[in-house]
């Protein structure tokens, strides 16, 4: 099992002191100090020497060092400039490590490919919780080479990612994610595994790319999903009409797909939205 020499309170504290660093609550910094959690993440990631790994929010490099032991190359994207000396030291010690200082939501796929020496295959990260949901969906949409994501997120976000139709946590985000991928693993991580302990529970989720729609149609289906969930308490017909869809086109599409116009969006499976978007597109082109 691959672990990390930094995944314990003593090593983390010593490194922070050596570099004169403190955790920044504004950036969601909580350092993982349990090596068993790192080992479980690595088991889910199933990395090989051929893999190019993307990591978002490496912090002081606790998970990074475990990734470097198994992967061919790791590129990490870090927003906190004060952590650059630590990442620079890791880079000097590990020729298969590179990093980009910047906002993960602004770094381009091209910059990542340049840094990692090709398209990344896997994203493994203890994500900053304030941007985790956005990062996951954005990278699935914009970096088609990613075949797997293993991410630590707030348990509440994990619930949304894993939700099924009809459940309270199932929403537009869940349905849009399911267009591209499916959840294949999850385990819980309590606050006591971090320094300092966060005020929320966490979970690690493995997401494997498994699209149910052609990449060219993802944006079109996503628009239908957003309109359907725009007003959750309304029927799907009324919610979508309020978002600008023609009632006549909607009625024709519902008739064609067999979807009840009086149902609510959260009762529909992702594949239903694909069928509805297809029917609406066909009606619009006639």
């Amino acid at each position: 099992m691959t672990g990390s020499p930094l995944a314990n309170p003593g090593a983390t504290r010593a490194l922070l002191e050596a570099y004169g660093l403190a955790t920044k609550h504004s950036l969601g910094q909580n350092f993982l100090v349990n090596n068993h959690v790192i080992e479980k993440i690595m088991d889910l990631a199933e990395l090989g020497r051929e893999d190019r790994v993307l990591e978002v929010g490496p912090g002081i490099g606790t998970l990074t060092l475990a990734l470097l032991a198994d992967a061919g190359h790791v590129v990490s994207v870090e927003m906190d400039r004060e952590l650059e000396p630590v990442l620079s030291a890791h880079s000097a010690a590990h020729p298969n490590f590179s990093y980009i200082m910047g906002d993960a939501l602004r770094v381009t796929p091209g910059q990542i490919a340049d840094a990692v020496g090709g398209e990344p295959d896997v994203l493994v990260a203890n994500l900053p919780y304030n941007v985790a949901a956005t990062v996951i969906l954005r990278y699935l949409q914009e970096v088609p080479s990613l075949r797997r994501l293993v991410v630590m997120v707030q348990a509440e976000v994990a619930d949304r990612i894993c939700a099924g139709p009809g459940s309270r946590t199932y929403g537009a985000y869940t349905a849009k994610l399911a267009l591209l991928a499916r959840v294949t693993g999850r385990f819980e991580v309590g606050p006591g595994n971090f320094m300092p302990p966060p005020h929320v529970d966490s979970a690690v989720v493995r997401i494997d790319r498994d699209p149910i729609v052609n990449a060219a149609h993802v944006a079109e289906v996503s628009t239908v999903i957003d309109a359907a969930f725009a007003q959750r308490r309304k029927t799907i017909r009324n919610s979508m009409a309020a978002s600008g869809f023609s009632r006549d086109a909607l009625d024709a599409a519902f008739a064609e797909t067999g979807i009840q116009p009086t149902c609510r969006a959260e009762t529909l499976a992702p594949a239903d939205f694909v069928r509805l978007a297809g029917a609406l597109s066909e009606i619009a082109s006639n």
Side-chain angles (χ1 to χ4, degrees):
M1 273 188 166
T2 303
S4 169
L6 289 176
N8 63 78
T12 295
R13 205 172 284 114
L15 188 143
L16 291 172
E17 285 173 5
Y19 285 88
L21 297 169
T23 58
K24 292 182 181 173
H25 184 67
S26 64
L27 296 178
Q29 289 176 347
N30 301 92
F31 300 115
L32 191 53
V33 290
N34 185 331
N35 208 37
H36 182 56
V37 175
I38 296 278
E39 290 171 347
K40 288 179 76 172
I41 291 171
M42 297 304 295
D43 281 350
L44 277 185
E46 293 186 75
L47 299 176
R49 277 292 165 202
E50 72 287 349
D51 284 321
R52 291 184 288 264
V53 177
L54 168 63
E55 182 188 22
V56 173
I60 59 173
T62 306
L63 177 58
T64 316
L65 294 180
L67 296 171
L68 288 166
D70 283 6
H73 196 100
V74 177
V75 59
S76 300
V77 181
E78 176 55 60
M79 194 170 177
D80 185 357
R81 295 264 160 204
E82 289 187 18
L83 293 172
E84 184 163 14
V86 184
L87 298 177
S88 180
H90 291 325
S91 180
H94 300 274
N96 61 332
F97 177 57
S98 51
Y99 63 90
I100 299 168
M101 298 307 297
D103 183 344
L105 294 175
R106 293 187 178 171
V107 169
T108 66
Q111 285 174 284
I112 293 164
D114 288 346
V116 81
E119 302 290 326
D121 311 295
V122 186
L123 188 154
V124 187
N126 177 6
L127 290 172
Y129 288 179
N130 53 342
V131 295
T134 309
V135 164
I136 292 165
L137 190 55
R138 185 206 155 187
Y139 278 96
L140 266 174
Q141 289 173 338
E142 297 185 13
V143 187
S145 59
L146 287 174
R147 69 175 194 279
R148 180 182 309 136
L149 293 80
V150 178
V151 289
M152 173 108 66
V153 296
Q154 195 172 329
E156 191 179 287
V157 173
D159 290 343
R160 284 170 62 201
I161 290 168
C162 300
S167 66
R168 187 177 53 80
T169 48
Y170 179 76
Y173 179 82
T174 318
K176 287 190 284 189
L177 197 62
L179 298 178
L180 299 165
R182 62 190 173 91
V183 175
T184 57
R186 172 178 177 164
F187 68 88
E188 311 307 304
V189 185
N193 294 290
F194 299 89
M195 194 180 87
H199 300 300
V200 295
D201 289 326
S202 306
V204 172
V205 181
R206 171 170 156 165
I207 304 165
D208 284 31
R209 187 178 292 278
D210 187 16
I212 63 169
V213 65
N214 186 293
H217 299 299
V218 168
E220 182 186 333
V221 182
S222 294
T223 300
V224 167
I225 290 171
D226 284 333
F229 281 97
Q231 299 184 39
R232 282 186 76 119
R233 295 189 176 188
K234 291 191 172 183
T235 64
I236 189 169
R237 180 182 187 269
N238 288 344
S239 182
M240 292 185 71
S243 294
F245 281 86
S246 149
R247 288 183 186 274
D248 289 344
L250 286 168
D251 290 340
F254 290 134
E256 187 180 319
T257 56
I259 293 170
Q260 293 300 315
T262 53
C263 75
R264 285 184 168 77
E266 62 265 26
T267 64
L268 297 185
D272 294 325
F273 292 111
V274 174
R275 292 191 299 118
L276 184 57
L280 285 165
S281 178
E282 203 174 296
I283 290 159
S285 63
N286 288 338

